[in-house]
RNA sequence: GCUGCUGUAGCUCAGUGGUAGAGCACGUCAUUGGUAAUGACGGGGUCGGAGUUUCGAUUACUCUCAGCAGCACCA
């Protein structure tokens, strides 16, 4: 039979030959490192017989697909180890994930960290035994019956839910076997030693909190021990960038038990916050927005009208005045903005109205979801609502997306750091299907017109409309939703917003909800991690430290400081009785971008020694030149 | 909210059924120095909170609060 290789070459092999035979046919050394095959585009076992005319690519250990298979195999081996050590534990699912794998087990007693060590040791035994993985095709009903009979109820359920057309395959490694689509490595030994069990956690069966909670064990797995080590080192490095740690070290903010989920901003952190806020303010002014400020405390009746009370009332902070009066602390700004809109008559000529607010919101987020300043209970949205006519939706969406990407770029997140998703209608929602069709299509068209790559995610939209989500990733790979654009036909209806059209009749405006940073707090957290605290000069809370070498030139040091401040630089002075090495180390650790060192020579010549953070050398220039230069460098992206 | 783990000085952490220790940080003194740690001395803790057992609890147990990881949630 003829087999086509990726390079187009055709090889002749006897009937019944496998991908492994093919690899051997090509070269012995290839066969040694091959672990699977891509047959007609699908990953398959090396030991499956090929068919005539198949297109086959041999997957070797160094290919990305290999890692996925290694991780999946590690999950199987872990499951065997767990069932050997803890009889009665049921297996459920165990996929490969980014950097590793996990397996969910059903067991009444949770696993302890000590259990993990034992499981890992057992896994190494199974790997050392180098048991071959073999594939078997089972009859669907027999498989269900079999798994039920041995008490593996979850496996039986999984098979039951597989489509009728799916072939039921079982993979065996020695005496142990598991339902699995495959493919697998030729044998357990091929997994190698580049893995480590990381942690235990609870996880709901099928990801639903209404279901039983399973015990999930996470592991990381790599091609070899060197790669594993590299990964573990990267994790340590990421920890050093953690915004919670840098926030403390750089004196940006702190959190404490008494106000769980709220932030105490310190002077440096608040400077950073205001710099960011002012940048956004300048941006939106430039794009024709007006800024408003609306109440924190709003009678619950407004949220009942808007529909938020039904959806989220239990997560709102409430202020009960008397038996009849209950206020909610606003969890978002939209209903309030509609109130501002509703004051006075609006003409079609007034639209679009782009109404912005740095809106302070509070939500009683579940305790387990709180995370540093990224997920908090008190936060500020760089929020805005664009009230417009239907025929303006496209233009407004495009205008917004353009500004959004520009802002991310200015803040150090070029396009490749941003993931865009289009979240479609959820099960529980307001508005008719017709309206949703229109809304979803509107956003889809806008994204396409803007030439932006996006992924559609079903069921993830807000109750009043679909949304475009802009996602950024933090230091340890966690993904956070920041910017958003939501198209809403529902709230204007519920809160009775209208305008007088060209025809003299009342019409409903469309509302575009949008935020670029999302929450100021979250965005600052992401920026801290993104820059490892080393902010671009215009954002750095403290831009310059003027440090004297000895106290003899204190007078000149003060002169330099005054010049910095006069130029609008955020500057501080260090004339402590410490050595210059000590001062440089200290301010470097606090990530101050610039230091102006002055000693005897500088004082005599009216110069400064300019040292940049992390720099090896320094530049001696006149004070006047230095100030002019830094003033230019410290300009915001909008000023440049 | 759920599962597991954790909570001792500002930070990182050690330790014990008989009222606690290190390094760094902080303070004082000496030192006035050229680009990532000068030296000496010193101060500092109701051992997250409440309760139970005990002659005695920071240590054991219960409850509670908070944090961490994951899951779920995220208008």
């Amino acid at each position: 039979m003829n087999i086509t290789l990726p390079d187009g070459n055709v090889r002749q092999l006897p009937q019944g030959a496998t991908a492994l035979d093919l690899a051997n046919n090509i070269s012995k050394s290839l066969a040694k490192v091959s672990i699977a095959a891509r047959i007609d585009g699908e990953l398959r076992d090396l030991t499956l017989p090929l068919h005539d005319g198949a297109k086959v690519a041999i997957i070797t250990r160094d290919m990305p697909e290999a890692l996925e298979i290694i991780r999946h195999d590690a999950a199987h081996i872990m499951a065997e180890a767990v069932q050997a050590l803890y009889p009665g534990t049921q297996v459920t699912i165990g996929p490969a994930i980014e950097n590793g794998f996990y397996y969910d087990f059903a067991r009444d007693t949770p696993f302890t960290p000590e259990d993990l060590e034992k499981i890992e040791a057992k896994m190494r035994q199974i790997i050392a035994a180098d048991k071959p993985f073999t594939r078997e095709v089972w009859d669907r009903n027999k498989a269900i019956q079999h798994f039920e009979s041995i008490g593996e109820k979850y496996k039986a359920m999984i098979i039951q839910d597989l489509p009728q057309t799916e072939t039921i395959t079982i993979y065996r490694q020695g005496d142990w076997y598991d339902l699995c689509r495959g493919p697998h490595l030729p044998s357990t030994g091929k997994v190698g030693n580049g893995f480590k069990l990381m942690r235990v956690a609870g996880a709901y069966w099928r990801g639903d909190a209404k279901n039983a909670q399973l015990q999930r064990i996470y592991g990381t797995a790599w091609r070899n021990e060197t790669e594993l080590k590299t990964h573990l080192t990267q994790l340590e490095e990421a920890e050093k960038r953690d915004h919670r740690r840098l926030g403390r070290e750089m004196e940006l903010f702190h959190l404490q038990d008494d106000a769980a989920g709220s932030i105490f901003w310190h002077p440096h952190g608040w400077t950073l916050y205001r710099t960011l806020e002012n940048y956004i303010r300048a941006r939106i002014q430039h794009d024709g927005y007006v800024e408003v400020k609306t109440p924190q405390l709003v009678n619950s009746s407004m949220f009942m009208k808007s529909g938020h009370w039904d959806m989220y009332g239990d997560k709102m902070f409430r202020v009960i005045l008397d038996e009849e009066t209950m206020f909610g602390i606003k969890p978002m700004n939209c209903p309030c903005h509609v109130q501002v809109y509703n004051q006075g008559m609006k003409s079609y000529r007034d639209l679009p109205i782009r109404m912005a607010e740095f809106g302070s919101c509070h939500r009683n987020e579940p305790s387990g979801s709180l995370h540093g300043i990224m997920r908090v209970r008190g936060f500020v949205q760089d929020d805005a609502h664009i009230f417009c006519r239907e025929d303006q939706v496209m233009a407004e969406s495009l205008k917004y997306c353009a500004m959004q990407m520009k802002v991310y770029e200015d803040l150090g997140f070029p396009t490749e750091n941003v993931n865009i998703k289009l979240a479609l209608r959820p099960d529980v929602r307001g508005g008719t299907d017709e309206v949703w069709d229109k809304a979803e299509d509107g956003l889809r068209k806008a994204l396409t017109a803007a030439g932006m790559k996006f992924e559609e995610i079903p069921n993830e939209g807000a109750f009043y409309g679909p949304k475009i989500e802009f996602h950024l990733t933090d230091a340890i790979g966690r993904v956070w939703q920041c910017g958003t654009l939501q198209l809403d036909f529902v709230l204007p209806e519920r809160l009775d917003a209208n305008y007088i059209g060209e025809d003299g009749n009342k019409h409903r405006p469309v509302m575009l909800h949008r935020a670029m940073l999302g929450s100021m707090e979250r965005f600052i957290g992401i920026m801290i991690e993104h820059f490892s605290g080393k902010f671009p000069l215009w954002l750095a809370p403290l831009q310059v430290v003027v440090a004297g070498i000895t106290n003899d030139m204190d007078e000149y040091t003060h002169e330099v400081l005054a010049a910095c401040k006069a130029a609008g630089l955020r500057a501080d002075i260090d004339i402590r009785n410490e050595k210059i090495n000590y001062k440089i180390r200290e301010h470097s650790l606090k990530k101050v971008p610039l230091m102006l060192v002055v000693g005897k020579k500088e004082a005599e010549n009216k110069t400064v020694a300019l040292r940049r953070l992390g720099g090896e050398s320094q530049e001696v220039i006149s004070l006047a030149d230095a100030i002019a230069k830094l003033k230019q460098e410290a300009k915001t992206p909008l000023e440049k």
Side-chain angles (χ1 to χ4, degrees), chain A residues 76 147 155 158-159 162 168-170 177-181:
Chain A
H76 272 239
F147 280 108
K155 277 288 162 194
I158 293 168
I159 302 171
L162 285 174
I168 308 299
T169 53
I170 299 294
Y177 55 92
D178 195 2
L179 169 78
C180 182
R181 189 183 300 126

Side-chain angles (χ1 to χ4, degrees), chain A residues 544-548 554 557-559 561 571-576 587:
Chain A
V544 190
V545 167
V546 185
D554 280 0
T557 314
H558 270 113
E559 196 182 319
L561 175 71
D572 205 351
I573 192 171
D574 188 351
I575 49 173
R576 290 174 303 169
H587 300 299

